[in-house]
């Protein structure tokens, strides 16, 4: 489990990087990510200055400091060491900063200052100093910041095992431990609505909206200001509802309490509420069901649990008692995870130990548990890291510079025209609100909401709407294999038994071993007696309430044998030490006899195998070991003389055709029943004799080939990331199209017994065996292994007709010994097999480092870490483990992937177009107001309202209703607002619109009936009606409508604008309305809008003509500017290149 890896990583890294009380900066690894810690000490003078400035600026200074925590801590405090610090600045791996207050308590205080050490014991400090960061407490112990998760990280397995005989904690010690560890409760209280509102409105965008609304109300622009207030309130209400819903989901996930039994005060069983449990308690594991509320290690007996809460895998898993084989100095969650039961897992059944209760030692509680880590990752997700968002804020910065220019222009012009200071200030601030439209965030979110509703209609649910835009830039998708690309279950195909030739001179040489014919019906075969016994006993199945539960693969094989399974009762456990499992042959069988499973070594993805010790219930002296697992691993455990020479050939033959293979081996075990429960796994799993192979068929899901083909045509790279065999994965990859039919597949392998000139494990590339003929790459033959020593060797092998595959162990070698190859490797390998969960996550992160936008699609089983690490995680599982994945598909196949990408592309283009439209609108209006400020004039309030409501808001809201284009284009949409093309488009449209307005502005002044505007003097009432203002208003309204049509792009990312009927209808209505207002004005509407009558119909038609010519120029410019920009850039590059050559 990846979570185990994280905690072990934290345990080792904390020791390596921390230490030194005299340091100002520490690096702490927590949850697999580095945290940068900086020590600061506040001073009275700086605190007084901070408060004074905050009050003097009416909170503005405090608000800016809130947005910039680094500025805040440097202003309020001075650098110090961690011994003296009362503030700690924490910067996470995503550059998100947070200030934590260091609290302290001396030994003379009423409460104790005890802490738990890494061996689990308690020690008292003179002063206890700690801070809480994201629900986790960090305590200053021996010049290190330590967490409760480190308890029991430096203790031997034997000491843990011995703790079962100590009778548990005393009540006083448990109370002392609670002062350090706290209650075993994940506090997930609902945030008060007032706090949610405050956090929302102090964001920069909302503060700017508040500023704009205040300016508008002062300027008596009441209606639109009220509309913005209403839109803001709706947005805040939606945020409150979404936040509250998410908090309730998290609370329902974590606020669970159980009644538990623990050993206290000398072995007495005490019934407690689960919140009172502390690390060090001996927990009595419930015999019939219950949900664990802590992480604990099993000390005796065995337990069957369901870990779907954490892994997404809803199958029973057997946990066995911790053993000490003498090889491990310290207990490790990773190495001993088969004995560790995690918080949130459901106990299905326990198996008795000599008639006693099954006991476990509590290791971690509350947010220190693996479940707590998962919950914290959901509560504090990584920020959206997307170039579009970055460019968005940069361009808003550019608009702010434009607004600054407008501010000074307004001040200079209006002061020169004799306006009052108050009027100058209001006009200048009003211009700022025009340049940076306050409604921009709300309008841009509309397209995302439309996309989310369309995804929901297709049974794809999104809990992070901001991720939808990111999906538009996806250019690589990582797929799990089993359950994602292929069907969940496997179909039994056949077994191949190892047989011996019946020659006249038979010896023990392996030359006489060969694989027999395929056997497809195990239950009726007498030649497969040993194989049938192995399959019937070597599994993790269990019978719960009369129903068989377990791994689907084990279920399929067990059903082939015809055997039945029965669990022993408490009386049987008195004889067998551990409650045994009995396996009974079919009735009337004369070939097989009943047998009992005495000991089970559960399957480990690291070890790639499982084993059982089987005995005859009536004759305990006869014991047999059965082992099954991956062919490579089982073969390595067998005696060489029991493995046929053509073993690899047979394995390759099956795996190349997509079959999943399991090898089975056995050996007799000469130990007593008592010693069978004490013998180590390494002593059991050695010197085995190979029995044969089991072949299972894993079929592709019906839609897989079509989806991969669509992604290939769209130039979206598909990568398989699986825990299965490399050759099996390669075969499935070729079948579904990840490995193209026109390309050659090559395997990257390593050899542990060979070293290169730098004493690194040797790497080599060889062509996949099924290719059948020699391939030439850059003049080199690749029919045999070719060594790789550096990136140039790999580069020479890469070509347009080659694809690569690698296994997890080889990938680990590359990561640790060839780090310079990792970046190149993840770009050329399309099949990653035998990958552990943490390796899947590492692959996703490495792809992100080379500028891929990565989607990860998995069924939730062992994919949780990779799903969370990807830009877009797509879960095909309904389990709660997938709550952290942004997308969940109720249809359990990969058809959702192109749907999400196409909707993401449509949403991205909608956001892109909406932003350009809103920017074009604001800058067009900015130009209009600059012209009018020249004569100390402006639009009337109703003219502003007509533009903002009837045109801009209406069209912007309907902008996102255009559906995604049904086909994925071969080229992704632009993800950068600040590209040369988009900036040329925007400012080109502004130039066209500005020229049209300038023409009308000057033409109206040349008319014989023109009446100049008479600006008000002093603080008297202002009449904004003017002929020039009316003329600019008439021409500009058409420009806003034209911008909506131009930036509402259609194929290849969105459907045609004609498919968006509401938008088309709104555009037509707006055009008709504007034509009516200009050509045949109604007296009532003219007064309502504050327009001045332009008495000449010919001039009003001239305005329409100018607007039409501008619209035509805008269309032609939009149609050909991309091509012109490309030609100009190509010419510039050629000129620059020729200049360098000269």
């Amino acid at each position: 489990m990846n979570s185990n890896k994280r905690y072990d990583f934290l345990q080792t890294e904390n020791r390596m990087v921390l230490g030194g009380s005299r340091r100002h900066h520490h690096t702490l690894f927590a949850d697999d990510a580095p945290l940068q810690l900086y020590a600061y000490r506040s001073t009275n003078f700086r605190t007084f200055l901070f408060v004074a400035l905050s009050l003097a600026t009416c909170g503005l200074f405090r608000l800016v400091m809130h947005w910039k925590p680094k500025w805040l801590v440097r202003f309020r405090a001075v650098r110090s060491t961690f011994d003296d610090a009362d503030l700690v600045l924490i910067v996470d791996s995503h550059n998100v900063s947070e200030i934590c207050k260091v609290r302290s308590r001396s030994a003379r205080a009423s409460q104790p200052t005890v802490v738990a050490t890494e061996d689990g014991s308690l020690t008292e400090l003179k002063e206890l100093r700690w801070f809480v960061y994201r629900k986790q407490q960090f305590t200053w112990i021996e010049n290190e910041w330590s967490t409760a998760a480190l308890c029991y990280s430096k203790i031997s397995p034997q000491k843990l095992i011995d703790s079962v005989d100590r009778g548990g904690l005393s009540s006083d010690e448990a109370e002392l431990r609670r002062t350090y560890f706290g209650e075993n409760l994940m506090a997930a209280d609902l945030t008060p609505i007032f706090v949610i509102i405050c956090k929302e409105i102090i964001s920069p965008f909302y503060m700017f909206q508040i500023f704009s609304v205040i300016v508008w109300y002062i300027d008596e622009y009441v209606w639109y200001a009220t509309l913005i207030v209403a839109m803001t309130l709706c947005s805040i209400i939606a945020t409150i509802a979404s936040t509250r819903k998410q908090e309730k989901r998290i609370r329902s996930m974590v606020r669970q309490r159980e009644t538990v039994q623990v050993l206290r005060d000398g072995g007495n069983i005490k019934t407690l509420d689960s919140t009172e449990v502390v690390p060090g308690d001996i927990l009595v594991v419930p015999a019939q069901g219950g949900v664990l509320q802590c992480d604990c290690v099993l000390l005796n007996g065995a337990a069957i649990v369901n870990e779907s809460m954490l892994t997404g895998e809803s199958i029973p898993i057997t946990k066995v008692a911790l053993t000490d084989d003498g090889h491990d100095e310290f207990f490790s969650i990773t190495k001993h995870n088969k004995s560790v039961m995690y918080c949130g897992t459901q106990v299905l059944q326990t198996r008795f130990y000599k008639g006693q209760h099954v006991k476990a030692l509590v290791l971690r509680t509350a947010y220190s548990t693996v479940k707590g880590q998962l919950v914290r990752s959901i509560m504090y997700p990584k920020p959206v890291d997307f170039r579009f968002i970055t460019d968005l804020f940069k361009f808003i910065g550019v608009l702010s510079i434009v607004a600054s220019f407008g501010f000074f222009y307004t001040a200079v012009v209006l002061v020169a025209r004799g306006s009052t200071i108050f009027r100058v200030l209001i006009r200048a601030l009003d211009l700022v609100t025009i340049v940076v439209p306050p409604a921009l965030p709300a309008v841009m979110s509309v397209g995302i909401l439309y996309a989310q509703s369309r995804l929901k209609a297709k049974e794809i649910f999104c809990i992070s709407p901001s991720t939808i835009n990111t999906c538009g830039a996806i250019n690589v998708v990582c797929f799990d294999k089993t359950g994602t690309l292929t069907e969940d279950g496997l179909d039994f195909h056949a077994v191949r038994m190892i047989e011996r030739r019946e020659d006249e001179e038979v010896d023990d040489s392996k030359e006489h071993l060969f694989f027999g014919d395929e056997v497809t019906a195990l239950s009726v075969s007498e030649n497969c007696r040993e194989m049938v016994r192995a399959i019937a006993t070597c599994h993790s199945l269990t019978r719960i309430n009369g129903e068989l539960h377990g791994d689907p693969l084990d279920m399929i094989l067990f059903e082939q044998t015809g055997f039945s399974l029965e669990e022993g009762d408490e009386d049987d456990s008195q004889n067998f030490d551990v409650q045994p499992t009995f396996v009974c042959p079919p009735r009337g069988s004369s070939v097989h006899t009943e047998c009992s499973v005495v000991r089970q070594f559960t399957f480990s993805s690291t070890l790639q195998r499982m084993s059982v010790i089987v005995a005859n219930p009536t004759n305990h002296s006869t014991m047999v070991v059965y082992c099954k697992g991956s062919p490579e691993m089982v073969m390595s455990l067998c005696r060489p003389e029991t493995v046929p020479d053509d073993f690899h050939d047979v394995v390759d033959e099956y795996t190349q055709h997509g079959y999943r293979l399991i090898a089975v081996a056995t050996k007799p075990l000469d130990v007593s029943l008592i010693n069978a429960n004490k013998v180590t796994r390494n002593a059991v799993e050695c010197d085995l004799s190979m029995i044969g192979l089991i072949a299972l068929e894993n079929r592709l899901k019906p839609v897989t080939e079509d989806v991969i083909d669509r992604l290939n045509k769209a130039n979206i790279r598909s990568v398989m990331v699986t825990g299965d065999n490399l050759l099996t994965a390669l075969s499935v990859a070729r079948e579904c199209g990840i490995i193209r039919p026109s390309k050659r597949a090559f395997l990257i392998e390593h050899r542990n017994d060979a070293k290169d000139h730098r004493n690194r494990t040797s790497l080599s590339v060889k062509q996949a065996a099924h290719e059948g003929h020699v391939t030439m790459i850059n003049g080199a033959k690749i029919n045999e292994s070719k060594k790789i020593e550096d990136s140039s060797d790999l580069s020479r092998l890469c070509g347009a007709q080659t694809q690569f595959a690698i296994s997890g162990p080889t990938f680990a070698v590359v990561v640790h010994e060839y780090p310079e190859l990792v970046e190149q490797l993840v770009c050329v390998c399309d099949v990653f097999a035998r990958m552990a969960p943490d390796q899947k996550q590492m692959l996703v992160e490495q792809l992100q480092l080379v500028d891929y936008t990565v989607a990860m699609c998995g069924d939730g089983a062992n994919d949780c870490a990779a799903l969370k690490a990807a830009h877009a995680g797509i879960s095909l599982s309904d389990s709660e483990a997938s709550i952290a994945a942004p997308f969940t598909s109720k249809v359990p196949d990969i058809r959702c992937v192109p749907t999400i990408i196409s909707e993401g592309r449509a949403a991205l283009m909608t956001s892109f177009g909406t932003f350009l439209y809103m920017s074009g609108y604001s800058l067009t209006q900015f130009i209009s107001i600059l012209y009018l400020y020249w004569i100390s004039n402006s639009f009337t309030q109703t003219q502003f309202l007509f533009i903002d409501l009837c045109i801009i808001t209406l069209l912007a809201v309907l902008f996102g209703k255009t559906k995604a284009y049904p086909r994925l284009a071969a080229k992704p949409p632009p993800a950068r607002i600040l590209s040369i093309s988009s900036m040329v488009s925007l400012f080109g449209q502004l130039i066209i619109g500005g020229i049209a307005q300038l023409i009308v502005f000057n033409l109206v002044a040349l008319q014989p009936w023109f009446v100049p505007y008479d600006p008000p003097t002093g603080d008297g009432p202002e009449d904004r009606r003017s002929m020039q203002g009316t003329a600019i208003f008439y021409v500009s309204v058409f420009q806003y409508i034209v911008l909506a049509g131009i930036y509402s792009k259609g194929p290849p990312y969105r459907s045609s604008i004609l498919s968006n009927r509401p938008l088309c209808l709104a555009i037509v209505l707006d055009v008709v309305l504007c034509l009516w207002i200009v050509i045949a004005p109604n007296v009532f509407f003219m007064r309502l809008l504050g327009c001045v009558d332009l008495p000449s119909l010919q001039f009003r038609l001239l305005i329409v003509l100018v607007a039409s010519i501008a619209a035509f120029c805008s269309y032609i410019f939009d149609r050909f500017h991309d091509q012109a920009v490309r030609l100009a850039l190509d010419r510039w590059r050629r000129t620059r290149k020729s200049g360098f050559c000269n």
Side-chain angles (χ1 to χ4, degrees):
M1 182 181 295
N2 188 45
S3 303
N4 307 337
K5 186 75 174 177
R6 290 182 177 181
Y7 275 103
D8 278 337
F9 186 64
L10 182 147
Q11 292 172 10
T12 56
E13 290 292 339
N14 271 339
R15 280 303 185 189
M16 294 194 319
V17 299
L18 295 184
S21 61
R22 310 308 302 169
R23 294 175 57 188
H24 164 68
H25 168 241
H26 279 170
T27 300
L28 170 69
F29 281 85
D31 295 345
D32 222 11
L35 298 177
Q36 305 300 327
L37 276 60
Y38 301 88
Y40 287 90
R41 179 172 50 84
S42 59
T43 66
N44 292 333
F45 173 74
R46 286 174 176 256
T47 302
F48 171 78
L49 187 61
F50 171 77
V51 173
L53 284 173
S54 299
L55 293 175
T57 58
C58 299
L60 182 62
F61 178 75
R62 178 66 183 89
L63 187 62
V64 173
M65 292 293 106
H66 171 78
W67 294 336
K68 295 289 185 180
K70 291 181 181 179
W71 295 2
L72 173 60
V73 73
R74 289 167 185 167
F75 188 89
R76 287 195 60 186
V78 295
R79 287 164 54 107
S80 71
T81 62
F82 283 97
D83 267 346
D84 303 324
D86 59 0
L87 295 173
V88 174
L89 174 66
I90 303 176
V91 184
D92 68 9
S93 58
H94 305 293
N95 203 31
V96 176
S97 303
E98 187 172 329
I99 302 171
C100 294
K101 183 176 178 59
V102 178
R103 304 182 184 278
S104 62
R105 184 169 68 237
S106 67
R108 290 172 292 180
S110 58
Q111 288 186 310
T113 57
V114 296
V115 295
T117 60
E118 293 177 341
D119 64 358
S121 61
L122 297 181
T123 185
E124 187 170 10
L125 304 178
K126 292 182 179 179
E127 183 185 28
L128 182 65
R129 305 180 70 247
W130 77 96
F131 66 85
V132 178
Y133 174 70
R134 295 181 179 177
K135 303 293 185 181
Q136 195 168 21
Q137 178 175 309
F138 293 81
T139 309
W140 188 248
I141 303 175
E142 298 179 359
N143 298 329
E144 296 179 355
W145 288 113
S146 180
T147 67
L150 296 178
C151 185
Y152 294 110
S153 62
K154 292 294 177 68
I155 186 172
S156 67
Q158 190 57 50
K159 283 188 177 180
L160 288 176
I161 297 169
D162 294 341
S163 63
V164 73
D165 299 322
R166 295 175 189 162
L169 302 174
S170 66
S171 298
D172 291 339
E173 185 180 358
E175 197 61 37
L176 272 178
R177 285 177 175 266
R178 194 171 294 112
T179 63
Y180 174 65
F181 293 107
E183 277 194 326
N184 180 28
L185 181 67
M186 294 186 215
D189 298 330
L190 299 179
T191 306
I193 292 178
F194 176 75
V195 175
I196 298 176
I197 294 174
C198 289
K199 287 182 176 179
E200 190 71 13
I201 64 175
I202 62 174
S203 66
F205 269 122
Y206 279 116
M207 292 307 299
F208 182 72
Q209 282 186 335
I210 293 172
F211 162 76
S212 301
V213 166
I214 292 173
V215 171
W216 291 338
Y217 274 121
I218 292 174
D219 199 29
E220 298 181 356
Y221 187 33
V222 177
W223 291 104
Y224 189 66
T226 305
L227 174 66
I228 292 297
V229 170
M231 290 175 62
T232 302
L233 289 176
C234 290
S235 177
I236 291 175
I237 291 171
T239 300
I240 292 172
S242 175
T243 303
R244 184 51 55 92
K245 182 179 179 181
Q246 181 77 345
E247 287 182 342
K248 285 183 177 179
R249 290 182 68 188
I250 293 174
R251 188 173 66 169
S252 65
M253 179 181 176
V254 301
R255 291 195 67 173
Q256 298 177 353
R257 303 173 76 155
E258 297 270 335
T259 300
V260 299
Q261 291 184 324
V262 297
L263 299 185
R264 290 275 177 90
D265 301 320
N268 296 320
I269 295 180
K270 194 171 182 180
T271 301
L272 305 172
D273 189 271
S274 59
T275 59
E276 300 179 54
V277 173
V278 293
D281 264 326
I282 303 295
L283 181 71
V284 178
V285 184
Q288 293 295 330
V291 178
L292 290 174
Q293 301 301 319
C294 57
D295 289 351
C296 53
V297 58
L298 202 59
L299 300 179
N300 65 0
I304 300 166
V305 300
N306 186 333
E307 293 183 344
S308 63
M309 174 68 180
L310 302 174
T311 65
E313 228 173 326
S314 186
I315 57 174
I317 298 172
T318 301
K319 298 291 183 176
V320 296
L322 179 67
T323 58
D324 184 10
D325 56 10
H327 293 104
D328 300 313
E329 181 182 2
F330 297 117
F331 167 76
S332 165
I333 288 181
T334 301
K335 293 180 180 178
H336 302 97
N337 71 321
K338 290 303 176 182
S339 301
V340 178
M341 299 187 294
Y342 301 99
C343 178
T345 60
Q346 183 180 9
V347 179
L348 301 176
Q349 189 182 79
T350 59
R351 291 180 175 173
F352 302 100
Y353 177 78
K354 293 184 178 178
Q356 302 177 14
H357 294 288
V358 176
K359 305 181 188 71
L361 177 73
V362 178
L363 298 175
R364 294 188 295 251
T365 56
Y367 281 106
S368 296
T369 62
V370 173
K371 179 181 175 181
Q373 179 185 333
L374 172 64
V375 173
R376 283 189 287 112
S377 71
I378 298 169
M379 296 174 74
Y380 306 100
K382 67 179 182 180
V384 177
D385 181 19
F386 187 39
R387 189 173 294 171
F388 177 82
I389 303 298
T390 305
D391 282 358
L392 175 63
F393 284 102
K394 287 181 180 178
F395 190 70
I396 289 175
V398 173
L399 293 180
S400 301
I401 295 173
V402 175
S404 301
F405 163 75
F407 185 93
F408 289 109
Y409 167 86
T410 303
V412 172
V413 171
L414 293 185
V415 168
R417 297 287 189 271
S419 297
T420 63
I421 298 300
F422 177 77
R423 182 166 289 155
V424 169
L425 183 61
I426 292 298
R427 290 288 168 269
L429 293 177
D430 192 29
L431 195 64
V432 172
T433 65
I434 289 173
V435 176
V436 185
L440 182 63
V443 170
M444 289 192 64
S445 66
V446 170
I448 296 175
L449 295 177
Y450 280 130
Q452 186 179 14
S453 65
R454 290 194 294 265
L455 287 172
K456 187 175 181 181
K458 297 175 182 177
E459 296 190 282
I460 301 170
F461 297 89
C462 177
I463 63 172
S464 177
S466 60
T467 312
I468 295 176
N469 267 355
T470 309
C471 295
I474 286 172
N475 48 18
V476 61
V477 184
C478 297
F479 293 99
D480 181 37
K481 183 178 75 69
T482 306
T484 303
L485 297 174
T486 62
E487 297 287 357
D488 277 315
L490 296 170
D491 291 333
F492 174 77
H493 176 68
V495 298
R496 294 285 297 273
M497 297 294 298
I498 294 177
E499 300 179 3
R500 187 182 298 275
R501 290 189 178 89
E502 297 181 359
D503 297 338
E504 293 181 359
E505 298 177 1
V506 176
D507 55 29
D508 292 332
S509 172
K510 64 185 290 184
E511 295 177 359
H512 297 279
L513 298 179
F514 69 99
F515 282 101
D517 296 333
E518 288 187 349
V519 177
T520 57
L522 289 178
S523 59
V524 297
S525 175
E526 296 187 5
N527 298 326
C528 304
R529 181 183 306 177
E530 201 69 15
M531 176 68 80
V532 170
R533 280 174 61 90
I535 294 174
T537 56
C538 191
H539 52 70
S540 59
L541 302 179
T542 184
R543 189 171 293 280
I544 301 173
N545 297 326
E547 188 176 348
L548 208 59
H549 292 268
D551 189 292
L553 173 60
D554 288 338
M555 295 274 283
I556 291 168
L557 293 177
F558 187 77
E559 288 171 0
Q560 292 293 321
T561 65
F563 276 59
S564 60
L565 184 143
E566 296 178 6
E567 297 286 355
D569 54 26
E570 189 169 354
D571 294 334
D572 294 317
S573 69
Q574 299 287 353
N575 299 323
F576 280 88
D577 287 353
V578 178
Q579 181 183 353
T581 298
F582 294 103
V583 180
C584 305
R587 290 185 179 181
S589 173
S590 59
V591 179
H592 302 289
T593 58
E594 179 182 330
C595 49
S596 59
V597 179
V598 176
R599 180 90 178 273
Q600 183 185 97
F601 299 97
T602 55
F603 177 78
S604 166
S605 57
T606 304
L607 299 178
Q608 300 178 24
R609 64 182 184 270
M610 75 166 294
S611 302
V612 291
I613 300 176
V614 177
N616 187 325
T618 60
N619 183 6
H620 296 167
S621 63
T622 305
M623 294 198 185
V624 179
V625 173
Y626 290 113
C627 177
K628 73 176 183 183
S630 68
E632 310 96 313
M633 180 55 69
V634 173
M635 188 204 71
S636 69
L637 302 175
C638 290
R639 291 181 290 118
E641 62 270 18
T642 67
V643 181
D645 281 333
D646 62 345
F647 178 82
H648 290 291
D649 295 334
V650 173
V651 169
D652 289 349
E653 180 184 355
Y654 278 96
T655 54
Q656 286 160 17
H657 288 86
Y659 291 101
R660 181 172 177 179
L661 288 182
I662 297 174
V664 182
T666 184
K667 79 170 184 180
L669 190 65
D670 187 16
V671 295
S672 65
L673 188 61
I674 295 176
N675 290 332
N677 288 291
K678 299 178 180 179
V679 66
T680 64
R681 183 165 191 163
N682 289 339
V684 170
E685 295 175 339
C686 63
D687 297 328
L688 302 174
S689 298
M690 183 74 71
I691 297 176
L693 297 171
I694 306 171
L696 299 113
E697 188 176 6
N698 197 190
R699 298 188 310 277
L700 288 177
K701 289 186 176 180
V703 302
T704 297
E705 288 185 70
D706 178 61
V707 169
I708 299 297
D709 182 59
R710 289 178 64 188
L711 296 178
N712 288 340
K713 289 178 179 177
N715 291 324
I716 297 173
R717 183 180 166 206
S718 298
V719 176
M720 180 188 291
V721 190
T722 178
D724 210 340
N725 175 278
L726 178 58
L727 292 179
T728 302
L730 196 62
S731 173
V732 173
R734 183 170 291 281
E735 185 180 354
C736 70
I738 291 178
I739 299 292
R740 314 284 181 88
S742 59
K743 296 187 178 183
R744 301 294 175 193
F746 296 89
L747 311 181
I748 300 178
E749 299 177 326
H750 74 283
R751 290 183 56 190
N752 289 319
D753 58 346
K755 303 291 182 181
D756 66 1
H757 65 282
R758 298 183 191 175
N759 199 34
R760 300 180 299 184
T761 304
S762 178
L763 289 180
S764 63
V765 171
K766 71 173 185 179
Q767 189 169 339
H770 76 285
E771 299 295 349
H773 62 274
V774 177
T775 297
M776 301 287 290
I777 299 180
N778 297 329
K781 294 183 178 180
I782 314 295
N783 60 321
E784 296 180 355
S785 294
K786 184 176 180 62
K787 288 186 177 180
I788 301 176
E789 296 188 354
D790 53 40
S791 59
S792 61
D793 291 337
L794 191 58
S795 297
R796 283 193 293 271
L797 296 175
C798 295
Q801 299 303 315
T802 60
Q803 288 181 279
F804 294 87
I806 192 171
S807 66
T810 305
F811 183 67
V813 169
V814 173
V815 169
H816 292 101
E817 300 187 38
Y818 296 82
E820 72 280 4
L821 285 180
V822 174
E823 187 173 305
Q824 189 177 10
L825 186 69
V826 298
C827 294
V828 299
C829 272
D830 295 308
V831 177
F832 293 81
R834 291 285 188 231
M835 294 286 279
D838 57 316
Q839 289 180 317
K840 292 183 179 182
Q841 179 185 1
M842 183 188 298
L843 172 63
V844 169
E845 292 170 347
Q846 289 294 334
L847 286 167
Q848 291 171 334
L849 289 177
V850 292
D851 285 337
Y852 276 112
T853 303
V854 186
M856 173 70 196
C857 184
D859 61 353
N862 297 323
D863 298 320
C864 294
L867 288 170
K868 287 188 290 183
H871 289 106
I874 306 170
S875 172
L876 305 183
S877 169
D878 288 332
S879 67
E880 288 189 75
S882 298
I883 189 175
F887 298 95
T888 301
S889 173
K890 297 296 183 182
V891 180
D893 57 43
I894 64 171
R895 75 182 68 181
C896 60
V897 174
T899 302
I900 290 172
I901 294 175
S902 61
E903 288 292 350
R905 288 182 170 188
L908 180 59
M909 287 306 297
T910 298
S911 297
F912 196 88
T914 303
F915 181 80
L916 291 177
Y917 174 54
M918 295 297 289
S919 300
Y921 138 72
S922 63
L923 292 175
T924 299
Q925 196 168 84
F926 173 73
I927 293 171
S928 302
I929 300 304
L930 288 183
Y931 288 146
L932 295 177
Y933 277 1
W934 186 256
I935 60 172
S936 299
N937 190 220
S938 180
F939 286 151
T940 66
Q941 300 292 9
T942 47
Q943 286 172 349
F944 275 124
L945 192 64
F946 177 81
I947 293 170
D948 290 337
L949 283 184
C950 297
I951 300 178
I952 303 303
T953 303
L954 175 63
L955 299 184
V957 168
L958 298 176
F959 204 93
K961 281 190 71 70
T962 306
K963 296 180 180 179
Y965 195 62
R967 292 192 300 274
L968 287 174
K971 185 180 178 182
R976 302 204 64 177
I977 292 176
L978 294 180
S979 65
I980 295 177
S981 177
S982 60
M983 291 299 99
V984 168
S985 172
L986 177 61
F987 288 101
Q989 298 294 344
L990 293 178
I991 291 171
I992 294 171
I995 291 173
Q997 291 185 36
L998 182 62
I999 291 172
V1000 171
F1001 182 78
N1002 289 313
L1003 281 178
V1004 71
L1006 298 176
Q1007 303 306 309
W1009 39 259
F1010 173 70
V1011 178
Y1013 175 68
D1014 183 21
T1017 58
D1019 293 326
E1022 181 182 18
D1023 185 1
R1024 298 186 184 181
R1025 292 177 297 173
S1026 69
M1027 286 190 172
Q1028 286 172 304
T1030 300
I1032 286 186
F1033 171 73
Y1034 282 168
V1035 75
S1036 66
V1037 291
F1038 292 105
Q1039 292 174 349
Y1040 301 134
I1041 299 171
V1042 169
L1043 287 175
I1046 284 174
Y1047 289 124
S1048 183
K1049 302 291 185 182
Y1053 308 114
R1054 304 201 315 163
S1055 296
S1056 168
I1057 188 175
L1058 298 176
S1059 67
N1060 189 344
R1061 294 181 180 178
L1063 178 61
C1064 291
L1065 180 62
I1067 290 175
V1068 170
L1069 289 177
D1070 275 339
V1071 170
V1072 171
L1073 179 61
C1074 291
L1075 286 172
W1076 177 59
I1077 290 173
V1078 175
I1079 298 174
N1082 177 276
V1083 176
F1084 171 78
F1085 275 101
M1086 285 185 65
R1087 289 179 180 175
L1088 183 64
L1089 291 174
C1091 295
V1092 175
D1093 181 34
L1094 303 179
S1096 172
L1097 176 62
Q1098 289 81 2
F1099 185 78
R1100 295 200 299 272
L1101 291 173
L1102 179 62
I1103 291 176
V1104 175
L1105 178 62
V1106 171
S1108 301
I1109 294 173
F1112 177 76
C1113 293
S1114 295
Y1115 172 77
I1116 296 299
F1117 179 78
D1118 179 70
R1119 187 76 181 269
F1120 297 105
H1121 85 277
D1122 267 341
Q1123 185 177 355
V1125 168
R1126 282 196 297 269
L1127 290 174
L1129 288 176
D1130 289 342
R1131 183 177 299 174
W1132 177 77
R1133 292 190 188 100
R1134 286 196 299 269
T1135 304
R1136 189 181 181 194
K1137 187 175 181 181
S1138 62
F1140 280 128
C1141 293
N1142 294 333

